[in-house]
Amino acid sequence: MNSIDRGAGDLVIDDVSQDFVARDRRVSALQKTTLRIPPGEFVTLVGPSGCGKSTLLNLISGLMAPSEGRVSFDGSIIRGTSRTIGYVTQQDNLFPWRTLRDNVGLSLELTGVPAKERRERVDEWLARVGLDGFGDAYPHELSGGMRQRGNIIRTLIYEPRVILMDEPFGALDAQTRITLQEMLLSIWEGTGRTILFVTHDLTEAIALADRVLLMSSRPGRILRDERVDIARPRDIFLIHHHPEFRRLFDEFWQELRTEVQIAAKKR
């Protein structure tokens, strides 16, 4: 195993491979993947469908253990889920029988935070994302974008040190997606939290990230890891005019298109 340098608060994927057995056939999802993410970085992950992006998030979250290699955070191997690492999925998964306020505050409720304090903290977060006044609404009474905002702050409210996001804006219309991208950056900047964000949208990947990772077709491995040299704070609505954005998009797209074509032939 090839170890890599690590520091306090680093998220480290060390020579990780992941296999699955499907219909008596072994499928390699990830192959010899090594990555280090220092604390406070916003890293996006792009690649063709089925390249192991979600598998990588599941390994980091502790939902599964790697077939080979190790995943660690802050010097300790990840063995199962914990409140240190939060996970935001594409589907909002809000409980339909609970109000938005009760959904957002669920983690605080489970850890015994008193009702008065819990309500104050939840209402503060709802206000931060433009949902003040909707705390008593049920999920079916909210738009898709409103539900996803609730889904995001349900994770952020318990302050995990690492936040995994699996295409959280993928199901939303373009206008809502851009609005929530801007919201996410405004909440994240200055917090020191680490974000690993999976997306199929190359524009989104470059606009949000400090670093963009490109994964190969299955079995997934990291083909390219490049820093986005665009100052923050960023104007999400105009960032595509920046010359660095155009350079990165053109270069990444050439490689991504090739991997998508290779993945299509494997199906």
Side-chain angles (χ1 to χ4, degrees):
M1 182 183 299
N2 298 319
S3 62
I4 58 178
D5 293 337
R6 51 176 62 81
D10 283 358
L11 174 63
V12 176
I13 317 302
D14 209 347
D15 210 26
V16 163
S17 296
Q18 183 65 38
D19 297 335
F20 297 100
V21 176
R23 299 181 182 178
D24 298 323
R25 183 168 65 97
R26 183 170 293 277
V27 176
S28 179
L30 286 174
Q31 187 177 71
K32 299 296 181 182
T33 298
T34 295
L35 171 68
R36 182 180 68 86
I37 303 177
E41 276 200 337
F42 197 130
V43 177
T44 53
L45 190 62
V46 294
S49 295
C51 71
K53 299 185 297 296
S54 295
T55 297
L56 185 57
L57 294 194
N58 288 336
L59 291 169
I60 295 169
S61 70
L63 290 172
M64 62 174 64
S67 303
E68 297 180 17
R70 58 186 177 186
V71 183
S72 62
F73 175 68
D74 201 15
S76 298
I77 294 176
I78 295 172
R79 306 183 192 278
T81 60
S82 74
R83 289 171 56 83
T84 300
I85 299 177
Y87 202 160
V88 178
T89 58
Q90 181 174 353
Q91 300 299 320
D92 61 69
N93 296 317
L94 299 178
F95 295 121
W97 60 87
R98 294 177 70 102
T99 65
L100 179 61
R101 180 180 290 108
D102 289 341
N103 268 292
V104 171
L106 179 60
S107 63
L108 304 182
E109 180 181 339
L110 293 175
T111 54
V113 175
K116 183 176 183 296
E117 179 185 346
R118 187 167 70 240
R119 184 182 180 98
E120 290 173 351
R121 288 172 61 179
V122 169
D123 285 352
E124 178 184 349
W125 273 100
L126 291 175
R128 289 182 67 178
V129 298
L131 290 175
D132 42 330
F134 291 92
D136 294 325
Y138 288 89
H140 73 273
E141 299 173 314
L142 303 170
S143 69
M146 295 167 78
R147 290 195 300 271
Q148 192 61 317
R149 275 181 270 174
N151 186 37
I152 290 170
I153 63 174
R154 180 174 58 177
T155 295
L156 298 181
I157 197 169
Y158 64 83
E159 300 181 336
R161 294 172 63 188
V162 176
I163 302 163
L164 309 175
M165 308 188 83
D166 193 358
E167 295 193 74
F169 308 143
L172 304 175
D173 63 86
Q175 182 177 347
T176 303
R177 185 183 306 124
I178 292 173
T179 300
L180 293 192
Q181 289 168 1
E182 185 179 46
M183 178 208 79
L184 177 61
L185 287 183
S186 69
I187 291 174
W188 165 77
E189 287 174 353
T191 64
R193 308 293 175 190
T194 302
I195 293 183
L196 181 57
F197 186 109
V198 165
T199 178
H200 278 100
D201 186 336
L202 185 53
T203 296
E204 180 174 68
I206 298 169
L208 295 177
D210 295 314
R211 289 162 62 194
V212 181
L213 310 179
L214 173 65
M215 290 189 70
S216 70
S217 59
R218 191 181 72 243
R221 62 193 186 282
I222 296 173
L223 291 179
R224 184 168 182 168
D225 179 348
E226 187 153 347
R227 186 159 295 279
V228 180
D229 189 18
I230 301 176
R232 298 188 186 276
R234 297 175 183 169
D235 187 333
I236 291 295
F237 297 93
L238 298 176
I239 194 171
H240 57 282
H241 294 302
H242 195 289
E244 176 70 356
F245 177 92
R246 293 198 298 270
R247 180 189 72 81
L248 287 171
F249 187 95
D250 291 344
E251 292 182 7
F252 267 94
W253 173 242
Q254 295 302 318
E255 295 182 59
L256 178 58
R257 180 171 60 180
T258 299
E259 292 304 317
V260 170
Q261 292 170 344
I262 293 172
K265 292 178 182 178
K266 292 179 178 178
R267 290 174 190 157

